Amino acid sequence: MAAPSIPAGTGDSITVPKNIRWVLLGVMLALLLSMLDGLIVGTAMPTVVADLGGLDHMSWVVTGYTLATACSTPVWGKLGDLFNRKTVFLTSVALFIAASVLCGTAGSMTELIIFRIVQGLGAGGMGAGAFSLIGALLPPRERGKYQGMTAGVMAVGQLGGPLVGGFVTSHLSWHWAFYINVPVGVVCITWCALLLRLPPAQRRGKITIDWLGIMFLTGAISAFVLGATWAGSTYASLSWQTTGLAVLALTLLAAFIVTERRATEPLMPLRLYSGHRNFPLAAILLTVSGITLFGATLYLPLYQQVVQGASAANSGLLLLPMMMATLITSSIAGKVMTATGRYKMFPVLGTLLMVVGMGLLSTMTTDTPRTLTSLYMVVLGAGNGLCMQMSSTIAQNAVELRDIGSASAATNLFRSLGGSIGIAVFASLFAGTVTQTVRGLVYIHDVAHATHLIFLTGACIGIAALIASVLIEEVPLRGKPTAATPASPDARTA
């Protein structure tokens, strides 16, 4: 049976502003801010613990932030669909800045955890809002021109985070790991307030909030993330605690689906998944991409430092070959997609390269030279560049503009959940393989073997993404817009 066609919706009416690159740069500052924060804080945590104490609760600084981000992402996305996307986005950035100041003034680990949860709430809106704004400003056919900008921001964040974190902790106090967010956030708010103009939103009738849907989905995400985080570390992978959380997550997810079928204004409309097969297939691609990306960024630097003797001081630069390959291939694929309207070949080739790249990385031993490791990283990075950004475009092209916020939030959520799955699976493999805690020959061999298992598992998981990419239907991308026209009065106030 043929898949239903994708509705044109209101996406065909989008006109691209002449200064679109400047507008997008302001929006992408929020993405850069959220990426830098996580990496800077991770680098600064040993210093934070030395000052505040609370080593037993340190993991909650990360877990609380991750939970808040994941749980709030769908809510922010829906609020953007219901109300003014620009206002909702700027509110989330303001919340993130305020929470950053509070984190910097924290006097105990408990206070820091609470403030990090608030900061995570803001981060959820920044991620969902940024991608939904890109979807509102650019029809899918034109988005490829600017795909390299997004990949570039992610590369800068990935490489710059550890370097900035190291500088802050070495030359300033740990408080500046949070205060540094303030000037960047203020620039983002000011920039977007002045330059960001959106098409006039369609007026709705009475607006209702899906409170039951929020409650059930938040509970399901919380149970899933906690179970994935604790499996293999705090508790055994098949302990009653992790099994119970998995059962709870599935039960709450079932309740959420029932609720969404009845809700007047559902938090995450089920039509996203039933309207066209491309959206759920893109969700699979994004989830697997999250798994491979987290696995590479966490365990490649560890392997290079422990086995190959690389310097930990410049750990962020160790990923440079992978990030540069991602940036280059993402830019090329985007330009080809815009010029030709063809795109299916990119996720197919990208997932194939991801599987091959993970497979090559799984062959590394204690004798593998750094040059060969860098070459393998280039293969994996090229696959990510062809797949990750393209998957978001395919997902947004499969929905109407009225659902672009919910769709963008869903894609971010799938990527985050994929990261949680990757962290849990790979951490369990690492903990079960590396039995030595003191550096030495046995420890080095254990780390090399754990790396082999981690990337071999990633290659096997990547096959699911390859199958999904083959099943994608190459339907026309919405709207190659006409030249920009002056904004309407409604748009000027957006």
Side-chain angles (χ1 to χ4, degrees):
M1 180 178 179
S5 61
I6 297 176
T10 56
D12 293 330
S13 63
I14 296 177
T15 56
V16 179
K18 292 180 179 179
N19 63 339
I20 185 62
R21 290 190 183 276
W22 288 101
V23 175
L24 290 177
L25 186 58
V27 173
M28 290 181 184
L29 277 176
L31 292 178
L32 178 63
L33 188 61
S34 61
M35 287 197 68
L36 284 173
D37 177 79
L39 295 167
I40 292 173
V41 171
T43 306
M45 277 313 298
T47 307
V48 174
V49 173
D51 187 17
L52 298 181
L55 179 62
D56 294 342
H57 304 293
M58 182 183 70
S59 63
W60 277 101
V61 175
V62 176
T63 302
Y65 179 91
T66 304
L67 267 177
T69 301
C71 292
S72 65
T73 293
V75 180
W76 285 108
K78 187 62 181 181
L79 290 177
D81 287 339
L82 292 175
F83 302 102
N84 186 295
R85 287 194 179 95
K86 177 179 175 179
T87 302
V88 171
F89 172 69
L90 294 181
T91 300
S92 68
V93 179
L95 178 62
F96 184 88
I97 295 173
S100 297
V101 174
L102 292 174
C103 288
T105 60
S108 67
M109 187 61 73
T110 300
E111 288 183 2
L112 180 59
I113 291 170
I114 293 172
F115 298 148
R116 281 286 284 174
I117 291 174
V118 179
Q119 194 183 29
L121 294 176
M126 288 161 58
F131 283 105
S132 66
L133 286 172
I134 293 172
L137 289 167
L138 292 170
R141 178 66 185 268
E142 291 295 293
R143 205 165 302 158
K145 291 181 181 178
Y146 314 96
Q147 199 163 275
M149 291 181 66
T150 305
V153 166
M154 292 183 172
V156 170
Q158 191 69 49
L159 296 172
L163 297 178
V164 175
F167 176 83
V168 167
T169 53
S170 299
H171 298 85
L172 304 171
S173 68
W174 65 264
H175 306 276
W176 281 96
F178 300 102
Y179 292 153
I180 199 171
N181 294 331
V182 177
V184 180
V186 170
V187 170
C188 175
I189 289 179
T190 305
W191 194 303
C192 292
L194 294 176
L195 296 181
L196 180 59
R197 298 289 184 269
L198 296 179
Q202 291 182 325
R203 301 299 178 188
R204 296 174 180 263
K206 182 180 178 181
I207 294 177
T208 59
I209 306 296
D210 181 15
W211 296 111
L212 274 179
I214 293 174
M215 181 180 68
F216 287 136
L217 185 60
T218 298
I221 294 173
S222 299
F224 177 85
V225 172
L226 286 176
T229 302
W230 289 342
S233 56
T234 305
Y235 304 106
S237 298
L238 297 179
S239 66
W240 69 266
Q241 292 94 341
T242 55
T243 303
L245 285 170
V247 172
L248 178 61
L250 291 174
T251 302
L252 292 173
L253 180 61
F256 171 72
I257 293 173
V258 172
T259 300
E260 296 304 275
R261 290 182 179 277
R262 301 174 179 176
T264 304
E265 195 65 63
L267 174 66
M268 192 174 289
L270 297 182
R271 60 178 174 266
L272 296 179
Y273 305 91
S274 60
H276 194 279
R277 72 186 187 197
N278 278 5
F279 188 87
L281 289 173
I284 295 174
L285 295 180
L286 288 163
T287 302
V288 175
S289 296
I291 292 174
T292 58
L293 186 61
F294 272 80
T297 55
L298 284 175
Y299 290 99
L300 270 174
L302 178 64
Y303 169 84
Q304 291 175 296
Q305 291 169 31
V306 173
V307 180
Q308 296 180 328
S311 170
N314 297 319
S315 59
L317 297 178
L318 298 176
L319 297 173
L320 184 59
M322 185 176 75
M323 295 302 170
M324 290 304 299
T326 298
L327 175 60
I328 293 171
T329 56
S330 179
S331 300
I332 293 173
K335 291 178 180 179
V336 173
M337 180 186 71
T338 298
T340 66
R342 306 298 298 270
Y343 57 88
K344 179 176 178 177
M345 57 183 168
F346 297 117
V348 173
L349 179 58
T351 51
L352 179 61
L353 287 176
M354 284 167 53
V355 172
V356 173
M358 296 292 274
L360 290 173
L361 289 169
S362 73
T363 65
M364 295 188 303
T365 66
T366 56
D367 300 322
T368 303
R370 292 189 199 177
T371 304
L372 196 56
T373 298
S374 297
L375 181 61
Y376 295 164
M377 291 166 64
V378 167
V379 176
L380 179 60
N384 266 318
L386 293 173
C387 182
M388 184 169 285
Q389 295 302 317
M390 197 66 66
S391 300
S392 297
T393 299
I394 292 171
Q396 289 185 340
N397 189 58
V399 302
E400 295 185 67
L401 189 58
R402 61 171 175 158
D403 292 325
I404 204 71
S406 296
S408 300
T411 56
N412 276 327
L413 181 60
F414 289 125
R415 191 183 292 112
S416 298
L417 293 180
S420 298
I421 295 171
I423 290 174
V425 173
F426 297 152
S428 179
L429 289 172
F430 189 83
T433 306
V434 180
T435 57
Q436 303 291 320
T437 57
V438 180
R439 292 190 178 235
L441 187 59
V442 175
Y443 178 72
I444 291 174
H445 278 279
D446 282 353
V447 170
H449 184 55
T451 303
H452 161 73
L453 292 177
I454 286 169
F455 288 110
L456 182 61
T457 302
C460 294
I461 295 174
I463 294 175
L466 178 58
I467 295 172
S469 66
V470 171
L471 294 175
I472 286 175
E473 180 186 358
E474 190 171 56
V475 295
L477 292 169
R478 282 203 307 265
K480 187 168 184 176
T482 58
T485 56
S488 66
D490 289 338
R492 296 179 192 277
T493 60

